């Protein structure tokens, strides 16, 4: 299974940048390709809004076995 891990940074507040690390979206994918397509679709849909609000979003597909617990 593949999971989408995120880092979100907000640039227009007094603590610059204010970032939240180790986010994980509540969705799993069977393969890397479908995970990457999902990320591309999300970014295409919300990228302009994020730029306008000065928010940075990094998403990366990571395989379950790559996650250190």
């Amino acid at each position: 299974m593949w999971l989408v891990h995120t880092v979100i940074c907000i640039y227009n507040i007094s603590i610059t940048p204010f970032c939240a690390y180790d986010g994980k979206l509540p969705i799993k994918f069977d393969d890397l390709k479908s995970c990457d397509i999902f990320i591309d679709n999300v970014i295409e849909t919300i990228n302009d809004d994020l730029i306008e609000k000065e928010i940075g979003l990094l998403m990366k597909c990571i395989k379950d076995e790559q996650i250190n617990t």
Side-chain angles (χ1 to χ4, degrees):
M1 288 292 182
W2 291 83
L3 303 170
V4 179
H5 285 256
T6 64
V7 175
I8 298 174
C9 295
I10 302 170
Y11 298 104
N12 59 353
I13 62 173
S14 61
I15 306 170
T16 303
F18 176 77
C19 297
Y21 297 92
D22 297 325
K24 183 169 59 171
L25 298 183
I27 186 170
K28 294 182 180 183
F29 299 91
D30 292 327
D31 54 59
L32 177 60
K33 183 176 180 177
S34 60
C35 186
D36 281 338
I37 290 170
F38 171 79
I39 288 176
D40 290 343
N41 290 338
V42 169
I43 295 300
E44 183 179 322
T45 303
I46 66 172
N47 193 51
D48 291 339
D49 291 331
L50 294 176
I51 291 170
E52 181 181 323
K53 293 178 173 126
E54 297 184 51
I55 297 173
L57 173 62
L58 171 68
M59 293 191 290
K60 182 176 182 176
C61 296
I62 297 180
K63 196 166 181 128
D64 267 342
E65 295 88 39
Q66 294 174 324
I67 301 169
N68 296 326
T69 55

